Amino acid sequence: MTALVQAVRVDTDAEANVEIGAQLRRLYDEHYRSLVKLAAFYVDDVGSCEEVVQDAFVALLGRERRVTPGKEAAYLRSAVLNGARSALRKRRVRRQQRDQAVPFPASPEATAVAATERGEVLAVIRNLPAKQADVVVLRYWFDLSEAEIAQTLGMARGTVKSHSHRALKTLAERLEDHR
Amino acid sequence: MNTEDAVRDALVARAAQVEPSRDAYAQLAGRLQRPRRTSWRPARLAWAASAAVLGVVVIAIATTRSPDQGTDRGQAVATSTETAAVATPTALLPDHADALWPLSEPAGGWPSTPEGAIEDLWTAAFGTTDAQIRQTNAGYEVLRVDESGQPVQSSPPAAVAELVAVGDGWAVADLTNPQISLSGGSFETTESGFAYRPAGRAWAFEGHVTVQVFDAGGAVVAEGFVMGGGTELLPLSGSISLEGIEPGPATIVYSDRGGLGVPVWAAAERIVVPMH
């Protein structure tokens, strides 16, 4: 009887592992790259970005209670935002020092002036209230709809709209000050 | 270039600088194959085991006292915080080991359906009988309601409930959500009295997490609030006074009422109030 129970348990575990493996492959292909880029708006180095994203995957796939099918992407985005913001908080002092010294590394095709302007925009986004910054990043980089942002951030659509409006107003004012 | 274009341009440029490592998938698969972290269940079992062992010690001390030493509550409280925290005689344990709500069999019997058990809890905590519940792979989801009490279908559920069969009915065994994460708390005796200090993290409207303590009969015996984060998940701070509350099993419901006073997020845990 004991052997049978153990065998059944092993089979169950094996099936669960196969299921998790298939889910991992699908979620990885669909979301991993974009989530690492999402984390990069808050965290500086790619290694830390990947760590944050992998933590989110492990939390999603390693948990006993599964996220409702269809909501995995929203869960991952939310977990990455939380993880990245947590990492950002730990490094804020270092980041501020670096932002002052080197605003933004120029990409090969960009001019130094353009890179600096982009760096200023990013710095202003990072200094927005947390929810506003999240809404801006999800809207203008992830191209999520208001409904998708609301689901990711756990807020009403109207709140998303008001955060977006306030964020753009603040961005316009602060960027104007920089010019 | 207007503000929106400038924002999009900056974000796209930043994203273009970042690419995941080539072995990212292997790293991730490797991490998932490692043993999982200890879940809350073993942690609670460990807590309960400690409580039981030290409870026996407390009872042994109490039974060896001479009659003239008295047994009133004032003297019983004259113990350290640690001792008070673990005095959990078996008689104080809930009717059912896994039941969170109800803690004991109601006069009319255990709720006959899972939804009924959740509705009982929701009604007791939030005074609303129109909680909309749906069964999913994750458990039973309790949908949020708006200020008029109508379920908000497009929002994440306020909580996910796990159910357990008890007797010929059902009880809520766990109530969780990602914004209020509980990891067990501790009892303490301070200058202001006996209290429970919850542990965990929360992200709630202005950081404010409403706390209600229910006794085994489902009556509110204490209320208050603790603080989490207002813009991110932060550790809970603060405690709830249990001064004057009878020892025994109790359910604590934590909720974020948002700006409208309706349950946006809710979670619950079961405690056993020790003699204090």
Side-chain angles (χ1 to χ4, degrees):
Chain A
M1 179 60 78
T2 305
L4 178 62
V5 170
Q6 286 175 345
V8 170
R9 188 169 296 146
V10 167
D11 284 350
T12 307
D13 287 347
E15 285 170 13
N17 285 337
V18 169
E19 185 194 332
I20 289 173
Q23 203 178 4
L24 170 63
R25 186 74 250 182
R26 179 179 63 79
L27 291 171
Y28 178 89
D29 290 342
E30 289 177 8
H31 303 296
Y32 189 88
R33 185 165 174 266
S34 62
L35 289 170
V36 170
K37 291 172 182 282
L38 173 63
F41 297 126
Y42 302 87
V43 185
D44 290 325
D45 62 292
V46 179
S48 297
C49 293
E50 291 206 58
E51 194 176 331
V52 165
V53 175
Q54 289 185 11
D55 284 347
F57 271 81
V58 170
L60 173 69
L61 298 172
R63 52 197 270 145
E64 291 175 13
R65 287 183 290 277
R66 296 291 157 75
V67 171
T68 307
K71 293 185 179 174
E72 295 94 342
Y75 178 90
L76 286 170
R77 287 194 293 265
S78 176
V80 167
L81 285 172
N82 290 340
R85 196 169 292 290
S86 176
L88 170 66
R89 195 171 61 248
K90 292 172 187 167
R91 302 166 183 213
R92 187 171 285 278
V93 174
R94 275 188 294 160
R95 179 195 296 281
Q96 283 170 345
Q97 290 168 347
R98 184 171 51 255
D99 280 351
Q100 286 163 8
V102 185
F104 197 75
S107 54
E109 72 277 10
T111 64
V113 173
T116 304
E117 285 176 355
R118 286 168 179 161
E120 286 171 356
V121 174
L122 282 182
V124 174
I125 293 172
R126 285 169 175 163
N127 283 318
L128 288 171
K131 288 289 188 186
Q132 290 184 23
D134 292 348
V135 168
V136 166
V137 170
L138 292 174
R139 179 175 172 184
Y140 291 102
W141 184 71
F142 242 99
D143 277 334
L144 294 188
S145 66
E146 280 176 359
E148 289 171 317
I149 296 173
Q151 188 183 43
T152 297
L153 299 178
M155 59 175 64
R157 285 178 68 173
T159 312
V160 172
K161 201 175 282 185
S162 67
H163 277 320
S164 179
H165 176 74
R166 284 179 200 161
L168 281 179
K169 187 165 177 256
T170 306
L171 279 161
E173 288 169 359
R174 293 187 187 167
L175 291 175
E176 190 59 36
D177 292 342
H178 281 268
R179 287 166 188 156
Chain B
M1 189 183 289
N2 63 27
T3 305
E4 286 184 301
D5 290 339
V7 167
R8 191 171 276 115
D9 175 66
L11 293 174
V12 169
R14 171 61 175 152
Q17 295 179 325
V18 180
E19 286 298 332
S21 57
R22 290 182 179 179
D23 63 344
Y25 183 78
Q27 286 175 21
L28 188 48
R31 283 189 61 179
L32 278 165
Q33 283 174 353
R34 286 180 212 149
R36 293 176 190 174
R37 286 181 297 182
T38 305
S39 71
W40 61 274
R41 287 180 191 280
R44 283 193 181 180
L45 285 174
W47 181 89
S50 304
V53 169
L54 288 164
V56 168
V57 173
V58 170
I59 292 170
I61 293 170
T63 53
T64 55
R65 298 171 78 176
S66 62
D68 61 355
Q69 284 180 295
T71 56
D72 63 345
R73 262 170 66 159
Q75 287 175 316
V77 170
T79 56
S80 69
T81 299
E82 289 74 19
T83 305
V86 294
T88 312
T90 307
L92 299 183
L93 292 174
D95 277 10
H96 191 282
D98 292 326
L100 175 75
W101 187 278
L103 283 167
S104 58
E105 185 172 3
W110 296 97
S112 59
T113 63
E115 290 85 354
I118 299 169
E119 283 170 3
D120 276 358
L121 169 55
W122 217 253
T123 303
F126 308 117
T128 173
T129 56
D130 51 15
Q132 188 163 326
I133 299 158
R134 64 184 176 199
Q135 187 176 8
T136 70
N137 289 347
Y140 286 83
E141 294 183 344
V142 188
L143 299 183
R144 294 183 186 186
V145 295
D146 59 24
E147 62 269 40
S148 63
Q150 296 303 307
V152 182
Q153 299 279 358
S154 59
S155 296
V160 176
E162 281 187 10
L163 277 296
V164 60
V166 289
D168 57 354
W170 294 88
V172 177
D174 205 4
L175 190 73
T176 60
N177 74 72
Q179 304 293 96
I180 304 175
S181 169
L182 303 170
S183 53
S186 56
F187 297 96
E188 60 186 22
T189 302
T190 64
E191 289 180 359
S192 56
F194 186 67
Y196 179 72
R197 182 173 291 277
R201 294 153 70 85
W203 180 352
F205 181 71
E206 295 181 344
H208 192 280
V209 179
T210 302
V211 181
Q212 298 162 288
V213 182
F214 296 85
D215 65 14
V220 177
V221 291
E223 289 182 282
F225 70 91
V226 293
M227 296 302 293
T231 57
E232 59 187 320
L233 271 174
L234 288 179
L236 293 172
S237 61
S239 60
I240 301 300
S241 173
L242 299 179
E243 194 61 32
I245 292 175
E246 292 296 318
T251 300
I252 305 185
V253 177
Y254 301 84
S255 59
D256 171 7
R257 305 292 178 96
L260 300 172
V262 296
V264 178
W265 301 105
E269 68 175 338
R270 183 185 59 196
I271 62 169
V272 179
V273 179
M275 288 181 286
H276 51 275

